[in-house]
């Protein structure tokens, strides 16, 4: 069995000397012993004198000596009682202190070691393993989606799950291993293993993961959960301390989560720099909001048949003072995870509307929004407010949502699309073909346009599969009466091929890379597609909500 902290406290503290606390009982014992010696001395004189006086062979004892003897007897009794009391008190205090130590080192809910105690206990285990020539592994474990259990069931259910997880982990861990609840739903196991035999830890981790994955009965039903594990190990002779090893295992655990949860991952130093980059990214995103660091770039959208400029797609760029220019493919998913995508996107859209209102009124503006923004019931209202503030006609705005939004609550997505369209805004389905959406899903949502994902377009001449997929998307678009935009037109050959396949709007490096607002404006000025007098904000234009025709 692994070390149970409740049974193990004496071992952890055997060098905690109680000498200072026994000082008082030694004094009391000394008084009692001195009184006994004096009693023997005075008693040796007084008692024979009493005996002689009773037998009539001598005089009675000296009164002073009798008094001294009586005092002595009182002292012996008092000293002895005091000694007994003090030893009782000290024993009681020691018991209370031992209990306090157990409580201070134990997690009250699960009985595991707590965060404070795991470091010293692990160091002790390192020392023991070192003597045997063994390695020591730290396995950091974190329950997957534990918050959901708390939210959906209750905190009581969460507690039961934690207690049961700890019990099962205890049961799987080998003799001498340590188990600690580091906090929340995170556990750390410290276990020694023969040097070089990481396979032993692989199979132990698998066992731990499998043990926790068994459903936990709760109020007549069952709670299911999984656990992710990160492992870091120290070979004998290594100078790495417990805190560093716990930290490495923690990083590996986050990696296991990122790779899909319910699995284990070994620490690799590259993970650390990745995590550092990630936290720099998060901190930078938080700092950058409201400071004009998020800027819109614009890429041309062209009518493939006529070659005429139809409008622009706004593509976000982050000009980070620390990291330089960061692509949306890197910062958008992080902003989504940390809940910052809406403010960043709103800042960008507001700026793009201000830029685009000075373009020729025939030019459209497409903006990408995250599926998370589609979940915001106020999004349509916020957009309307931005349109009014920028004095931009809704009919020139197209909102692009990626196919992944179809995995969301379809009813909610449908009502959001409808309310955007009721304001006169167009809504298109971006990156189509990558997200495995079904025809039924597509038919049930009132999109205005489909955009074929660039991965098919760029390879249309090299891959027969891409060409087939494009052809089926074209017939789908025709069947549903949806116009199509082709992304990723990089070469004249691709353009020719696409022209042969049907009528499209298109965009791609052949027509131009995404460019800054200033570059776009300069180019439009050259083409005579910029308004001579810039539109002032918030003048009355026809932006009253437009009812969408069925
Ligand atoms: P997307 O909406 O599909 O945008 C098209 C992406 O393809 C852009 O990448 C664009 O630069 C790139 N591209 C354009 N022409 C070509 C070409 O000919 N060949 C190739 N290989 N690529 C081409 P970018 O700017 O890195 O944006 C990536 C994705 O980030 C966008 O894909 C969009 O999903 C997302 N994104 C961009 N801006 C925003 C934003 O403001 N909000 C949200 N939520 N997502 C955004
Ligand atoms: Mg797009
Ligand atoms: Mg796209």
């Amino acid at each position: 069995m692994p070390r149970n902290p409740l049974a193990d406290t004496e071992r952890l503290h055997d060098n905690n000397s109680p000498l200072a606390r026994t000082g008082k009982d030694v004094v009391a014992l000394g008084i009692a012993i001195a009184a006994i010696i004096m009693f023997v001395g005075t008693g040796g004189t007084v008692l024979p004198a009493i005996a002689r006086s009773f037998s009539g062979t001598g005089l009675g004892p000296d009164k002073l000596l009798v008094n001294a003897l009586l005092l002595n007897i009182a002292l012996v009794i008092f000293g002895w009682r005091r000694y007994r009391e003090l030893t009782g008190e000290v024993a009681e205090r020691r018991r209370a202190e031992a209990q306090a130590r157990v409580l201070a080192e134990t997690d009250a809910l699960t009985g595991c070691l707590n965060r404070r105690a795991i470091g010293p206990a692990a160091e002790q285990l390192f020392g023991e393993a070192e003597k045997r020539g063994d390695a020591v592994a730290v396995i950091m474990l974190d329950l997957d989606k534990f918050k959901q259990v708390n939210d959906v069931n209750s905190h009581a259910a969460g507690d039961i799950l934690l207690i049961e997880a700890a019990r099962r982990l205890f049961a799987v861990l080998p003799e001498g291993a340590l188990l600690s609840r580091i906090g929340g739903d995170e556990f750390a196991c410290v276990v020694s293993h023969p040097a070089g035999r990481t396979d032993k830890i692989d199979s132990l981790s698998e066992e731990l993961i499998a043990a926790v994955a068994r459903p936990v009965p709760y109020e007549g039903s069952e709670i299911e959960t999984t656990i992710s594990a990160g492992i870091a190990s120290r070979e004998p002779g290594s100078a790495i301390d417990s805190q560093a090893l716990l930290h490495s295992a923690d990083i590996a655990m986050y990696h296991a989560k990122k790779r899909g949860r319910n699995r284990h991952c070994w620490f690799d130093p590259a993970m650390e720099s990745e995590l550092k980059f990630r936290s720099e990214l998060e901190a930078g995103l938080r700092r950058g909001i409201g400071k004009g660091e998020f800027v819109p770039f614009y890429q041309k959208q062209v009518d493939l048949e006529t070659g005429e400029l139809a409008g622009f797609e706004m593509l976000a760029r982050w000009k980070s003072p620390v990291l330089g220019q960061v692509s949306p493919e890197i910062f958008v998913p992080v902003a989504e995870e940390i809940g910052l995508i809406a403010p960043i996107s709103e800042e960008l859209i507001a700026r793009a509307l201000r830029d685009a209102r000075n373009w020729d009124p025939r030019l459209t503006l497409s903006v990408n929004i995250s599926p998370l923004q589609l979940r915001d019931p106020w999004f349509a209202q916020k957009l309307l407010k931005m349109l009014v503030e920028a004095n931009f006609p809704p009919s020139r705005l197209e909102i692009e949502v990626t196919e992944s939004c179809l995995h969301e609550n379809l009813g909610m997505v449908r009502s959001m699309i409808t309310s955007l369209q009721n304001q006169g805004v167009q809504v298109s389905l971006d990156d189509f073909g990558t997200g495995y959406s079904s025809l039924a899903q597509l038919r049930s949502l009132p999109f205005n346009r489909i955009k074929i994902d660039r991965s098919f377009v760029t390879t249309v001449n090299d891959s027969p599969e891409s060409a087939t997929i494009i052809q089926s998307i074209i017939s789908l678009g025709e069947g549903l009466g949806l116009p199509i935009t082709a992304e990723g037109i990089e070469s004249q050959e691709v353009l020719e091929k696409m022209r042969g396949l049907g009528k499209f709007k298109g965009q791609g490096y052949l027509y131009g890379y995404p460019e800054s607002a200033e570059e776009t404006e300069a180019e439009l000025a050259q083409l005579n597609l910029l308004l001579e007098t810039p539109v002032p904000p918030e003048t009355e234009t026809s932006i009253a909500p437009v009812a969408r025709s069925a």
Side-chain angles (χ1 to χ4, degrees):
M1 278 295 286
R3 279 181 201 166
N4 182 340
L6 286 169
D8 220 26
T9 13
E10 285 308 316
R11 182 192 52 76
L12 278 173
H13 298 283
D14 49 9
N15 49 1
N16 195 353
S17 166
L19 264 184
R21 273 169 274 125
T22 54
K24 280 187 198 162
D25 42 338
V26 168
V27 171
L29 184 63
I31 292 171
I33 291 170
I36 290 168
I37 294 167
M38 280 171 69
F39 171 76
V40 172
T42 47
T45 317
V46 172
L47 291 178
I50 292 173
R52 278 195 300 276
S53 129
F54 272 118
S55 62
T57 55
L59 291 170
D62 182 340
K63 273 197 179 146
L64 201 65
L65 274 181
V66 172
N67 286 340
L69 182 65
L70 290 175
L71 189 65
N72 241 312
I73 292 168
L75 262 180
V76 170
I77 294 167
F78 167 77
W80 184 250
R81 279 191 53 184
R82 187 75 196 119
Y83 171 72
R84 298 281 309 160
E85 269 170 27
L86 280 174
T87 39
E89 260 174 43
V90 168
E92 181 53 39
R93 199 178 319 147
R94 270 192 221 150
R95 239 192 329 273
E97 280 174 4
Q99 203 176 359
R101 272 201 306 275
V102 171
L103 291 176
E105 287 169 353
T106 309
D107 168 48
L109 184 69
T110 59
C112 296
L113 289 173
N114 62 20
R115 172 184 277 281
R116 214 171 318 134
I118 186 66
E123 294 290 346
Q124 183 167 344
L125 203 141
F126 288 1
E128 290 165 8
E130 196 76 46
K131 279 187 211 143
R132 296 192 303 269
D134 280 346
V136 180
V138 169
I139 309 173
M140 195 68 91
L141 298 147
D142 191 283
L143 291 176
D144 298 324
K145 302 192 175 167
F146 179 67
K147 190 179 172 303
Q148 229 162 294
V149 175
N150 271 336
D151 292 349
V152 174
N153 301 87
S154 64
H155 283 266
D159 285 355
I160 286 172
L161 192 62
L162 288 171
I163 295 166
E164 184 57 20
R167 201 187 60 74
R168 292 181 189 182
L169 296 173
F170 257 133
V172 173
L173 285 171
E175 173 95 38
L178 301 169
L179 179 64
S180 158
R181 180 166 164 235
I182 296 284
D185 56 344
E186 203 173 344
F187 294 89
C189 311
V190 186
V191 52
S192 65
H193 62 98
R197 294 293 308 275
T198 49
D199 57 308
K200 297 243 173 224
I201 299 300
D202 278 323
S203 39
L204 175 65
S205 306
E206 287 306 319
E207 272 184 69
L208 292 169
I209 290 170
V212 175
R214 291 197 312 271
V216 175
Y218 176 69
E219 288 188 348
S221 125
E222 285 180 335
I223 314 172
E224 295 208 31
T225 189
T226 55
I227 201 160
S228 299
I231 313 166
S233 174
R234 77 191 282 289
E235 290 294 309
S238 157
I240 189 163
D241 67 7
S242 59
Q243 286 316 311
L245 207 60
L246 283 161
H247 178 64
S248 300
D250 203 33
I251 292 174
M253 190 270 292
Y254 275 108
H255 210 76
K257 294 245 177 212
K258 235 177 64 183
R259 283 183 39 196
R261 304 186 174 97
N262 192 25
R263 65 191 63 223
H264 74 275
C265 240
W266 281 83
F267 173 72
D268 177 329
M271 290 175 185
E272 192 149 31
S273 39
E274 198 183 303
L275 200 77
K276 211 169 139 221
F277 176 65
R278 161 82 195 212
S279 53
E280 266 173 28
L281 212 64
E282 284 185 16
L285 286 174
R286 288 184 211 284
R287 277 195 307 266
I289 291 182
K291 295 207 181 122
E293 289 180 17
F294 302 97
V295 291
F297 269 47
Y298 301 98
Q299 187 180 35
K300 289 190 197 100
Q301 294 184 322
V302 175
D303 182 322
L304 291 196
E305 231 175 354
T306 60
E308 244 176 64
L309 182 64
F312 290 88
E313 176 175 6
M314 186 271 277
L315 294 159
R317 298 289 179 266
W318 175 26
K319 298 226 160 134
S320 155
V322 181
L323 303 163
Q325 183 164 299
V326 186
S327 142
E329 274 176 335
I330 293 181
F331 78 80
V332 167
V334 180
E336 284 176 337
E337 261 179 63
I338 61 174
L340 291 184
I341 191 63
I344 292 176
S345 172
E346 284 157 25
E347 201 176 308
L348 280 157
I349 295 175
R351 166 82 199 269
L353 292 175
R354 285 200 301 276
D355 290 339
R357 73 177 171 221
N358 297 322
W359 301 345
D360 185 289
R362 283 167 300 177
L363 297 177
T364 57
L365 169 71
S366 300
V367 297
N368 296 280
I369 64 156
S370 153
L372 292 184
Q373 289 171 282
L374 271 193
R375 279 193 220 156
D376 173 4
W378 297 104
F379 180 70
Q381 289 300 313
K382 286 182 190 166
L383 194 70
L384 182 64
K385 186 164 175 272
M386 282 192 270
L387 285 162
V388 173
E389 276 169 6
N391 191 15
F392 191 85
S395 57
R396 285 176 58 197
L397 182 68
E398 184 174 293
I399 298 284
E400 295 188 7
V401 293
T402 52
E403 212 182 345
S404 58
C405 78
L406 303 187
H407 305 307
E408 309 269 323
N409 175 343
L410 272 195
M412 198 172 65
V413 173
R414 190 181 305 114
S415 74
M416 177 59 77
I417 294 176
T418 311
S419 51
L420 289 169
Q421 286 167 335
N422 285 343
Q423 291 174 10
V425 174
Q426 306 276 302
V427 184
S428 61
L429 183 58
D430 203 359
D431 302 343
F432 188 66
T434 52
Y436 311 101
S437 50
S438 71
L439 183 60
Q441 283 171 320
L442 191 61
R443 263 183 43 195
S444 75
L445 293 170
F447 288 110
N448 299 101
R449 173 176 289 276
I450 320 177
K451 291 187 77 177
I452 308 179
D453 189 68
R454 62 182 187 271
S455 60
F456 305 115
V457 179
T458 47
T459 55
V460 65
N461 280 322
D462 320 314
S463 147
E465 290 84 32
S466 294
T468 316
I469 290 171
I470 293 176
Q471 253 156 350
S472 32
I473 296 176
I474 293 168
S475 20
L476 192 70
E478 277 168 3
L480 296 172
L482 292 176
I484 294 176
T485 298
E487 299 178 331
I489 299 177
E490 290 182 357
S491 66
Q492 196 62 37
E493 293 76 46
V494 169
L495 173 64
E496 296 306 328
K497 175 81 181 181
M498 292 304 290
R499 269 189 184 146
L501 289 174
K503 276 190 182 177
F504 302 104
K505 248 189 350 184
Q507 66 188 92
Y509 297 159
L510 179 68
Y511 295 107
Y513 291 97
E515 289 181 323
S516 69
E518 297 71 31
E519 288 166 326
T520 307
E521 201 173 283
E523 206 173 329
L524 286 176
Q526 264 193 347
L527 294 169
N528 219 10
L529 289 173
L530 210 57
L531 296 187
E532 276 172 21
T533 2
V535 178
E538 279 203 74
T539 54
E540 291 305 312
T541 48
S542 54
I543 56 165
V546 183
R548 184 171 178 264
S549 53

